[in-house]
Structure formats: structure tokens, C-alpha cells
């Protein structure tokens, strides 16, 4: 049977079975954190199957995997499906009071920081690509800067669960990642439109689009989150209240797409509202327990599938040494962009805000890239430039999840030995 004959249910079933089997193997024998383990195992399995194709071309299992991954459409699967659930589930557990104390710092990092990082990475990527013989126009280099600059809240919060980062820093890292991906997606959309058209967007046009997407997303999140809050406060039936949050996520994200506002921002705001005010003022203890258990379980399942998919996506990237070398060289460039993107806002905000000792290295090293960056890279129009950007993106994401994710807890322990 050809992989293109798989129904959506069969494709979903295949992913769940793979995630369960590989998750079991990781937990039983390898014992890595689940997100890291599934990414590594998925990538190794993909490479093994590609190698099998070279040895036994008549079997063609690697080609079948390539078709399976291609047919899944990672961009649509994540951006139009999984992301809404993952962002809402993550936002539910962020302490709004702690986040509010650091709102200006988080805002500065999610705007000024992302913009600075986009520019540094974009111009730096132009230099690297020229040095390695790739002709990538500056407009597309800036598109790469925009898609790789935002930290991925799914990756960040997945790793923070096991990293034992101090609570004060966890609020900064989680809060920033919740909002800077929404800002990053908006900047990406602006720069992509400019790169495709070949015309520069005016600052006025860019500003209008930013207000519509980001500010509009925040307002929509408040409205639909508020409506869900009022509905939940008026009843005491945990099954219906869980269903209301499910409707909030699915209906809210679909509405955001129709209204052309930033869906990730909508989910972040709605999740913060329900997870804090809703949890305290609109839920009984029974409802709170059932709702938290439901979203925690859904979060774990979708996280497992997502990071497995990240590992499997290795079959979609260019395998030649030139592209891979560019990707490896770009790791340092992205870290440099992150250093500036965190350092400048912290310097600006240091006059009005206090920072926990060790905040800077943890924010830099804990700024993980994940599936959102890969999904944005996969959304680029077909061209040799897409192949170059996608390969660099994949190399950076794997490094971020596997190396940074595995060591961020040690960094936190070294710089902040006690929770402050």
C-alpha cells in the first residue's frame, strides 16, 4: 500500500503507535527526557532507514518514510492543529502574578529582542552563506532570521518541567517564549511577503500588520477567554467545563485564522486567563483537578508526537555536506543573536527591574528552538533557497532540543544553585 493511500486516521494512528513504542524504548532503556529521547530516536531511525535504502534499494523503506512524512504536511499539522492545544496547555500552568511582575521585561524581550535577533541572524546568515558558496538574497536571509529567532514555547516548557529552573526565572523564560513566538510569526509573515513580492514593505504597512496580528490576537484572547470564564463560573459540572476549554481552544484558534490575528497570542492570553483567574474564581476543586489532568495528559501526548515528528523530519532536509556545514555554522550565529536579543532588553530594563542572579545565561541557553521554526521553514515556497533555509533550521533545532535542552538544568544549577 502506498503511503499516499493512508487516511488521516491511519496517519494519526501510525504516529501514536510510533510515539508509544519509541517512548517506551526511551523510558525503559535509554532514559533520556522524553522530548529529547524521541527527537534523537526519531532522527536515528530515519537515518537508519535511509541507509537501508542505499544498501537494499529494492526494499525502499526510507523512501516510504520520506513519503509518509511529506504527506503529513508538518506545517499544517503543527500550525493549524497541534499548536493551539500545546500553547493553551502550557499557558494554563504559568503563574500570571509572577509574569505580571516581569511584564515589561517579557514585552521587551518578545519585541525588541526578537527584532534585534532577526536582524543579526539575517545579516550574519548572508555572510555565512556567501562564504560557503550559497547565493541567498538578503530578503530571504532576514526571513530565516525571523523564523529562527523566536524561542519555541512548546520546546521551552517541555524542557523546563525536568530542568529544575528557579521559579522566578521559569516565569521569565516561559512568559517570554509564550509571546515572542507570536511576535516572531508576525515578523516572519511581514518579511516573507516582502521577499516573495520583491518589494519592501513600508514601516507604516508593517506596523499596521503587527497591530492587527499581535494586538488583535491579545484582544481576541481576552474576549474569548472572558466568555469561557463567565460560562464556567455559572456552572459546577467538571465534564462540561473541560468541554468549554476544548471549545475555547479549537473555536478560538479557528476564529483567529479567519480574522487574520496571531493564533499563538490568542492561545497564550486565553490560557493565562483560564489558568489563573478561571482556576481561582470559576472552578471547584473537582473541576480544577479534572481540567488540569486532562490538559496535562493531552500536552504530554501531543508533545511526544511533536518531538517524534521533529526527529522524523530529517528525511526532508538536504543531505549534502555544504548545506549541513552551513547549518552547523549557523548555530553560533543564532546563539549570538540570542545573546544580543536577551542582553539589550535586560540592559534597558535593568534600571526599573531586578534580575535573579544567573538570569542572563539561563535565558540565553534556555531559549530553545523547536517545531515552530521547522514548520515555518517548511511553509516557504519550493526553491533551492527553501532547501538551504530548511536544512539550517533543522540542524539548529536539533542542536537546541538535544544539546541545550539536555544541559539547561546544569546551567541553572551552576549559576543559580538555589531557588530565589
Amino acid at each position: 500500500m502506498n503511503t499516499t493511500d493512508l487516511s488521516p486516521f491511519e496517519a494519526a494512528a501510525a504516529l501514536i503507535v510510533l510515539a508509544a513504542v519509541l517512548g517506551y524504548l526511551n523510558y525503559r532503556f535509554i532514559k533520556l527526557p522524553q522530548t529529547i529521547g524521541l527527537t534523537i530516536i526519531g532522527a536515528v531511525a530515519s537515518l537508519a532507514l535511509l541507509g537501508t535504502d542505499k544498501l537494499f534499494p529494492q526494499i525502499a523503506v526510507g523512501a516510504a518514510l520520506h513519503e509518509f512524512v511529506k504527506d503529513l504536511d508538518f506545517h499544517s499539522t503543527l500550525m493549524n492543529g497541534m499548536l493551539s492545544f500545546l500553547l493553551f496547555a502550557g499557558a494554563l500552568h504559568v503563574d500570571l502574578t509572577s509574569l505580571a511582575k516581569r511584564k515589561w521585561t517579557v514585552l521587551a524581550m518578545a519585541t525588541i529582542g526578537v527584532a534585534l535577533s532577526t536582524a543579526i541572524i539575517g545579516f550574519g546568515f548572508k555572510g555565512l552563506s556567501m562564504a560557503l558558496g550559497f547565493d541567498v538574497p538578503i530578503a530571504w536571509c532576514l526571513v530565516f532570521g525571523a523564523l529562527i529567532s523566536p524561542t519555541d514555547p512548546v520546546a521551552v516548557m517541555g524542557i523546563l518541567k525536568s530542568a529544575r529552573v528557579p521559579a522566578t526565572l521559569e516565569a521569565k523564560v516561559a512568559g517570554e517564549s509564550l509571546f515572542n513566538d507570536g511576535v516572531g510569526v508576525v515578523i516572519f509573515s511581514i518579511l516573507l511577503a516582502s521577499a516573495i513580492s520583491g518589494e519592501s514593505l513600508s514601516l507604516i504597512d508593517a506596523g499596521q500588520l503587527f497591530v492587527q496580528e499581535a494586538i488583535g490576537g491579545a484582544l481576541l484572547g481576552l474576549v474569548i477567554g472572558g466568555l469561557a470564564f463567565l460560562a464556567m463560573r455559572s456552572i459546577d459540572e467538571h465534564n462540561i467545563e473541560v468541554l468549554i476549554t476544548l471549545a475555547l481552544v479549537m473555536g478560538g484558534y479557528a476564529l483567529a485564522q479567519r480574522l487574520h490575528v496571531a493564533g499563538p497570542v490568542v492561545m497564550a492570553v486565553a490560557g493565562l486567563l483560564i489558568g489563573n483567574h478561571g482556576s481561582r474564581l470559576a472552578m471547584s476543586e473537582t473541576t480544577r483537578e479534572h481540567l488540569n489532568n486532562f490538559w496535562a495528559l493531552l500536552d504530554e501526548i501531543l508533545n511526544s508526537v511533536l518531538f517524534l515528528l521533529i526527529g522524523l523530519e530529517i528525511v526532508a532536509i538536504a543531505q549534502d555536506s555544504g548545506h549541513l556545514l552551513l547549518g552547523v555554522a549557523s548555530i553560533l550565529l543564532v546563539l549570538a543573536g540570542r545573546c544580543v536579543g536577551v542582553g539589550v532588553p535586560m540592559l534597558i530594563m535593568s534600571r526599573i527591574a531586578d534580575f535573579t542572579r544567573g538570569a542572563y545565561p539561563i535565558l540565553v541557553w534556555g531559549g530553545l528552538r523547536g517545531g515552530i521554526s521547522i514548520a515555518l521553514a517548511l511553509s516557504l515556497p519550493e526553491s533551492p533557497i527553501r532547501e538551504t533555509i530548511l536544512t539550517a533550521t533543522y540542524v539548529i533545532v536539533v542542536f537546541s532540543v538535544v544539546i541545550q535542552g539536555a544541559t539547561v538544568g546544569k546551567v541553572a544549577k551552576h549559576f543559580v544553585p538555589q531557588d530565589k
Side-chain angles (χ1 to χ4, degrees), residues 11 26 77 142 148 160 198 234 288 308 323 345-346 376 384 420:
N26 175 60
T77 301
L142 290 171
I148 204 67
L160 286 181
S234 66
R288 191 179 304 116
L308 170 63
H323 281 96
M346 284 185 69
L376 293 177
K420 296 184 179 181

Side-chain angles (χ1 to χ4, degrees), residues 129-318:
S129 60
M130 288 177 62
L132 293 172
F134 295 98
D135 183 21
V136 183
I138 186 61
W140 289 100
C141 290
L142 290 171
V143 167
F144 171 71
L147 69 86
I148 204 67
S149 286
T151 56
D152 189 324
V154 179
V156 168
M157 288 185 282
I159 296 297
L160 286 181
K161 291 176 185 176
S162 57
R164 296 184 180 180
V165 173
T168 51
L169 284 180
E170 186 174 341
K172 287 191 184 78
V173 177
E176 181 218 1
S177 66
L178 273 174
F179 289 100
N180 75 5
D181 73 299
V183 173
V185 170
V186 173
I187 294 175
F188 169 81
S189 301
I190 294 170
L191 292 174
L192 179 60
S194 176
I196 291 175
S197 67
E199 299 177 1
S200 299
L201 290 178
S202 69
L203 287 176
I204 294 177
D205 290 337
Q208 288 176 339
L209 184 57
F210 182 84
V211 169
Q212 175 188 327
E213 290 270 356
I215 307 302
L219 291 175
L220 180 60
L222 283 173
V223 170
I224 63 173
L227 290 174
F229 169 80
L230 292 174
M232 294 170 72
R233 193 173 64 174
S234 66
I235 62 173
D236 184 17
E237 168 50 51
H238 63 267
N239 290 320
I240 301 298
E241 291 180 74
V242 171
L243 185 59
I244 288 171
T245 61
L246 196 58
L248 166 63
V249 171
M250 299 181 72
Y253 203 82
L255 182 60
Q257 291 178 314
R258 285 288 182 180
L259 297 177
H260 301 290
V261 299
V265 176
V266 176
M267 290 299 101
V269 172
L272 286 170
L273 181 60
I274 297 300
N276 289 270
H277 298 307
S279 182
R280 286 189 297 106
L281 305 174
M283 301 179 201
S284 65
E285 183 62 37
T286 300
T287 297
R288 191 179 304 116
E289 182 180 353
H290 277 82
L291 187 138
N292 286 335
N293 288 340
F294 171 81
W295 282 103
L297 178 60
L298 192 60
D299 184 44
E300 289 292 337
I301 293 171
L302 291 179
N303 257 301
S304 295
V305 173
L306 173 59
F307 284 92
L308 170 63
L309 274 172
I310 290 175
L312 294 177
E313 279 293 329
I314 197 171
V315 301
I317 70 170

Side-chain angles (χ1 to χ4, degrees), residues 54-92:
K54 294 188 180 299
L55 295 174
F56 308 102
Q58 66 274 17
I59 299 177
V61 287
L65 175 64
H66 184 276
E67 285 300 315
F68 174 71
V69 171
K70 182 180 178 182
D71 291 341
L72 281 173
D73 190 354
F74 185 94
H75 175 262
S76 295
T77 301
L78 177 59
M79 301 301 288
N80 301 329
M82 297 167 65
L83 187 60
S84 57
F85 298 97
L86 289 165
L87 289 178
F88 183 82
L92 276 178

